[in-house]
């Protein structure tokens, strides 16, 4: 069977289309279907890699090294499986492909137009993923809001897609917003009526409406929406704000969304096996006690930039059964005073780019090292730990990364020779999964269940400089993990410290609610003071 579900958004952005798509994926996968999820992003960037986190939040990285929209992270976490570069399609990629074909002469002299050339390329991408990966159900989230100029080619393509498929193979879900007007105490359906009107103008009649908002809608609103949008009232679902995104699959399943979909798409309405999912949520609600974690970063006011990190902490916190209260510290503030770090059970320095805040992060690493507070350095956070150690233990006061100080006489973090001539910015970092071999019987190896190696995801340019390995190790900063092929340091730890760990990769991208990441589990245990020597995770 080959079924397709398209999800569009109305009224405004940030309503949780990504989480809704991911939740549908979870439900249908729990029914035993082979499901995948695609995200269409209507912007002209080739990928999210070159985008400022202030505009688009976190750049998520897939196993095969694509820099994608953060919704891919939701999909992976809810589906509990890896997706790939084909799962995130941008307008930039579509136009690039069409123009390349035109230059090659593949269109045999035709005039290249949005319809059919651009729309054909969009449809080809959907079928490619569904067919190549043998999926029963392909969910496609169309980014942007209906009414935007940018998303029109995608909407036209999915309209055509439905016409090309057999009856009963395609369903349209429209996720919209129902504001609550305090002055009159009313839920307002008008924006939804307009938004569906807009969709119908371009030939798409939604089968299902999911109404988002602060409050649940009732019969009255459903009747009204049904009347004005031509959607049956039993196909209108209410989805008000929840305190935990992982509850959304349960809410939608209870409300009967999968039996509605099975009627529209003519597939068997199976029971969804959501027991382990429910247990994960229950574990979270049974948490007792709290540890305090300081996260020292650059974009602290912008939580979307650290979405996967926050989720990875949540997964481990649920699993261990302890609350983790996170205090986000603007790195620059630590340059003048460390008072913000007092009383913290752990310090984490996440990934990042650019010089701002780096000195403050170095202060944080020094504080953790000297005061024996558990430290986890991720990517830039590992580089920071190395710089701090080189300056304050090895005594090289100007030690730095050449990213921040090209002139330093101790470039402990540097570009590899072959990287030094790269001029293109997009897609030229070390990206995606690389093998990390554990070259020593260290704490980190144990944390990973004593495996010989693991694959972890990368997104960075600079590397630990091998010239300084011996000096670092002679004073106790051990390099435990390595990408052997290129002799690149991947993981470090400090001898004699309860937990001082740095990794050149991003473990947060591989943490899932149903399989929390071992490094985060161990880090929280260390913060609790209960990390035992013989304990292994994973
Ligand atoms: N800026 C550093 C580098 O490019 C670290 C990147 C990161 O933390 N993702 O190597």
């Amino acid at each position: 069977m080959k079924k397709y579900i398209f999800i569009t958004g109305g009224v405004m952005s940030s309503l949780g289309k990504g989480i809704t798509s991911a939740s549908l994926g979870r439900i249908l996968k729990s029914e035993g279907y082979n499901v995948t999820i695609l995200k269409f992003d209507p912007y002209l960037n080739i990928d999210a890699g070159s985008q400022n986190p202030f505009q688009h939040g976190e750049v998520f990285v897939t196993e095969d090294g694509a820099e994608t929209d953060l919704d891919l992270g939701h999909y992976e976490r809810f589906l509990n499986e890896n997706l790939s570069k084909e799962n995130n399609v941008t307008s930039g990629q579509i136009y690039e492909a069409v123009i390349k074909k035109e230059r090659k002469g593949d269109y045999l002299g035709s005039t290249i137009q949005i319809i059919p050339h651009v729309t054909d390329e969009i449809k080809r991408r959907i079928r490619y993923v569904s067919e190549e990966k043998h999926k029963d159900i392909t969910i496609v989230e169309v980014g942007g809001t209906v009414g935007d100029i940018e998303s029109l080619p995608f909407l036209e393509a999915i309209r055509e897609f439905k016409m090309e498929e057999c009856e009963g193979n395609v369903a349209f879900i429209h996720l919209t917003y129902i504001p609550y007007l305090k002055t009159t105490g009313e839920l307002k359906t008008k924006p939804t009526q307009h938004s569906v009107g807009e969709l119908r103008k371009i030939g798409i009649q939604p089968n299902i409406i999911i109404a988002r908002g602060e409050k649940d809608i009732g019969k009255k609103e459903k009747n009204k929406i049904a009347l004005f949008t031509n959607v049956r009232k039993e196909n209108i679902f209410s989805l008000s704000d929840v305190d935990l995104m992982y509850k959304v699959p349960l809410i939608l399943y209870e409300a009967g969304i999968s039996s509605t979909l099975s009627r529209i798409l003519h597939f068997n309405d199976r029971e969804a096996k959501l027991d382990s999912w429910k247990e994960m949520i229950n574990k979270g609600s049974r948490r007792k006690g709290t540890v305090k974690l300081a996260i020292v970063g650059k974009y602290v006011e912008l939580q979307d930039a650290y979405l996967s990190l926050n989720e990875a902490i949540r997964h481990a916190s649920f699993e261990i059964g302890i609350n983790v209260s996170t205090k986000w510290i603007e790195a620059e503030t630590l340059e003048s005073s460390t008072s913000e770090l007092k009383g913290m059970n752990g310090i984490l320095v996440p990934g990042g780019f650019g010089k701002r805040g780096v000195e403050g992060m170095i202060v944080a690493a020094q504080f953790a090292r000297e005061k024996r507070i558990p430290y986890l350095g991720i990517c830039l956070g590992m580089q920071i730990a190395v710089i701090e150690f080189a300056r304050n233990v090895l005594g090289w006061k100007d030690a730095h990364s050449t990213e921040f100080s090209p002139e330093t006489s101790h470039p402990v973090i540097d570009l590899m020779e072959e990287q030094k001539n790269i001029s293109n910015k997009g897609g030229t970092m070390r990206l995606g999964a690389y093998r990390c071999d554990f070259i020593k019987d260290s704490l980190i190896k144990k944390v990973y269940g004593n495996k010989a190696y693991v694959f972890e995801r990368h997104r960075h340019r600079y590397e630990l400089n091998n010239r300084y390995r011996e000096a670092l190790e002679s004073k106790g900063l051990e390099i435990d993990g390595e990408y052997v092929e290129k002799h690149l340091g991947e993981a470090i730890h400090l001898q004699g410290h309860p937990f001082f760990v740095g990794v050149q990769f991003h473990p947060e991208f591989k943490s899932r609610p149903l399989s929390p990441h071992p490094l985060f589990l161990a880090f929280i245990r260390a913060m609790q003071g209960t990390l035992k020597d013989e304990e292994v995770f994973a």
Side-chain angles (χ1 to χ4, degrees):
M1 98 178 192
K2 288 256 171 278
K3 305 288 179 185
Y4 301 89
I5 301 169
F6 293 101
I7 304 186
T8 55
V11 183
M12 62 186 198
S13 60
S14 306
L15 292 178
K17 235 185 319 157
I19 291 165
T20 308
S21 307
S23 298
L24 282 179
R26 164 72 348 204
I27 296 169
L28 296 166
K29 185 171 175 181
S30 301
E31 292 181 9
Y33 291 108
N34 199 348
V35 187
T36 195
I37 312 176
L38 261 81
K39 171 83 192 278
F40 285 163
D41 277 312
Y43 46 71
L44 287 171
N45 306 60
I46 298 290
D47 59 35
S50 54
Q51 289 176 335
N52 183 334
F54 279 104
Q55 289 187 21
H56 279 275
E58 166 183 272
V59 177
F60 187 76
V61 179
T62 56
E63 204 72 357
D64 56 357
E67 299 177 275
T68 73
D69 185 78
L70 54 76
D71 279 322
L72 273 275
H74 290 312
Y75 307 163
E76 285 203 351
R77 288 187 281 270
F78 280 68
L79 288 175
N80 200 25
E81 64 186 46
N82 292 342
L83 297 175
S84 80
K85 56 179 187 297
E86 288 93 12
N87 290 75
N88 193 186
V89 177
T90 68
S91 290
Q93 289 168 19
I94 298 288
Y95 286 109
E96 189 188 40
V98 169
I99 290 168
K100 267 192 184 148
K101 278 189 203 163
E102 188 273 337
R103 291 287 84 184
K104 263 175 69 195
D106 287 358
Y107 293 119
L108 306 173
S110 324
T111 307
I112 313 305
Q113 292 174 302
I114 304 274
I115 306 168
H117 302 98
V118 167
T119 48
D120 279 354
E121 181 62 25
I122 295 171
K123 289 179 287 178
R124 192 186 66 74
R125 305 275 178 133
I126 305 167
R127 293 203 171 90
Y128 176 81
V129 172
S130 158
E131 278 155 28
E132 280 300 299
K133 311 252 157 104
H134 310 288
K135 297 297 174 186
D136 304 321
I137 302 174
T138 302
I139 299 169
V140 182
E141 176 190 349
V142 183
T145 307
V146 169
D148 296 346
I149 291 179
E150 278 85 359
S151 52
L152 275 175
F154 287 108
L155 297 173
E156 168 61 16
I158 66 175
R159 181 195 71 78
E160 292 172 16
F161 196 97
K162 181 174 180 175
M163 293 306 293
E164 292 167 13
E165 284 292 317
C166 301
E167 192 60 37
N169 275 358
V170 173
F172 291 118
I173 298 181
H174 191 54
L175 186 96
T176 166
Y177 180 57
I178 310 285
Y180 175 70
L181 211 61
K182 276 203 192 81
T183 44
T184 55
E186 275 177 306
L187 287 159
K188 306 304 280 183
T189 65
K190 188 76 83 193
T192 296
Q193 298 173 30
H194 281 295
S195 161
V196 175
E198 201 65 40
L199 259 185
R200 292 172 65 195
K201 223 190 314 182
I202 46 185
I204 294 173
Q205 168 63 52
N207 304 93
I208 291 176
I209 286 178
I210 300 180
R212 288 276 301 113
E214 221 178 305
K215 288 184 189 292
D216 271 315
I217 59 166
K219 243 198 183 130
K220 183 172 136 229
E221 290 81 23
K222 285 188 184 176
N223 283 338
K224 201 160 172 193
I225 297 170
L227 182 65
F228 285 98
T229 62
N230 226 16
V231 175
R232 302 173 71 87
K233 59 177 181 288
E234 61 273 21
N235 291 8
I236 299 171
F237 293 84
S238 177
L239 184 59
S240 58
D241 298 345
V242 281
D243 56 350
L244 176 69
M245 65 169 97
Y246 300 121
K247 289 182 181 168
V248 175
L250 306 179
I251 295 167
L252 288 175
Y253 182 68
E254 293 298 317
I257 198 147
S258 64
S259 34
T260 303
L261 276 169
S262 71
R263 262 188 284 114
I264 299 166
L265 290 174
H266 310 180
F267 62 78
N268 284 336
D269 183 15
R270 298 180 186 158
E271 193 194 332
K273 296 198 168 49
L274 289 161
D275 289 351
S276 51
W277 197 260
K278 283 184 193 152
E279 181 47 26
M280 173 268 296
I281 293 169
N282 288 339
K283 265 190 191 162
S285 62
R286 291 195 297 261
R287 282 177 296 176
K288 286 202 176 68
T290 303
V291 284
K292 287 189 268 178
L293 171 63
I295 306 183
V296 181
K298 186 171 139 189
Y299 309 110
V300 295
E301 69 281 26
L302 188 85
Q303 290 300 301
D304 258 9
Y306 301 105
L307 191 70
S308 295
L309 176 64
N310 278 324
E311 289 313 307
I313 294 166
R314 191 196 310 277
H315 305 154
S317 138
F318 277 31
E319 178 69 26
I320 290 178
I322 190 159
N323 294 290
V324 178
S325 104
T326 48
K327 174 174 173 185
W328 288 79
I329 302 175
E330 187 86 53
E332 276 177 312
T333 65
L334 297 177
E335 289 172 31
S336 47
S337 157
T338 54
S339 61
E340 294 252 46
L341 293 172
K342 301 243 160 67
M344 291 288 131
N345 303 106
I347 296 175
L348 190 152
V349 177
F353 295 85
K355 198 169 174 158
R356 182 161 71 79
V358 162
E359 291 302 321
M361 295 173 198
I362 294 172
V363 170
Q366 180 178 11
F367 191 89
R369 181 176 57 77
E370 292 178 347
K371 304 260 185 307
R372 299 175 58 77
I373 298 168
Y375 176 88
L376 180 61
I378 294 177
C379 205
L380 176 63
M382 176 187 115
Q383 301 175 353
I384 292 289
V386 173
I387 297 166
E388 189 279 317
F389 194 83
R391 286 187 186 180
N392 300 322
V393 178
L394 295 169
W396 304 329
K397 288 297 169 217
D398 76 331
H400 223 320
S401 160
T402 51
E403 177 179 6
F404 313 121
S405 167
E407 267 68 61
T408 172
S409 59
H410 292 92
V412 287
I413 307 292
D414 197 8
L415 289 176
M416 288 188 305
E417 276 313 312
E418 65 222 60
Q419 286 174 300
K420 290 190 177 160
N421 297 320
I422 289 173
S423 55
N424 255 2
K425 280 258 157 86
T428 55
M429 284 188 267
R430 182 141 82 100
L431 286 168
Y434 283 83
R435 180 169 144 167
C436 167
D437 281 60
F438 298 114
I439 51 178
K440 287 179 194 154
D441 277 327
S442 67
L443 166 85
I444 300 181
K445 181 171 181 175
K446 242 185 250 163
V447 161
Y448 275 99
N450 280 318
K451 291 195 186 82
Y453 61 85
V454 290
F455 286 90
E456 289 283 7
R457 297 184 192 172
H458 292 252
R459 182 171 185 256
H460 60 103
R461 248 190 209 100
Y462 293 79
E463 306 284 351
L464 195 147
N465 190 340
N466 284 328
R467 256 174 43 213
Y468 298 98
R469 269 199 189 206
E470 231 181 275
L472 294 167
E473 295 205 315
S474 71
K475 295 276 186 206
L477 196 70
E478 298 280 342
I479 291 126
D480 306 310
E482 185 178 278
Y483 172 46
V484 176
E485 207 173 295
K486 296 246 156 134
H487 192 42
L488 296 175
E490 294 275 43
I492 58 165
H493 95 281
L494 180 63
Q495 268 184 9
H497 188 290
F499 190 97
F500 190 93
V501 170
V503 286
Q504 189 56 79
F505 44 78
H506 290 272
E508 70 271 28
F509 292 143
K510 292 185 86 161
S511 177
R512 310 264 166 81
L514 295 182
S515 51
H517 196 286
L519 267 179
F520 286 93
L521 291 171
F523 182 44
I524 292 179
R525 275 290 169 78
M527 283 198 275
Q528 258 184 314
T530 57
L531 181 66
K532 294 186 206 78
D533 247 12
E534 63 281 7
E535 191 163 19
V536 293
F537 298 89

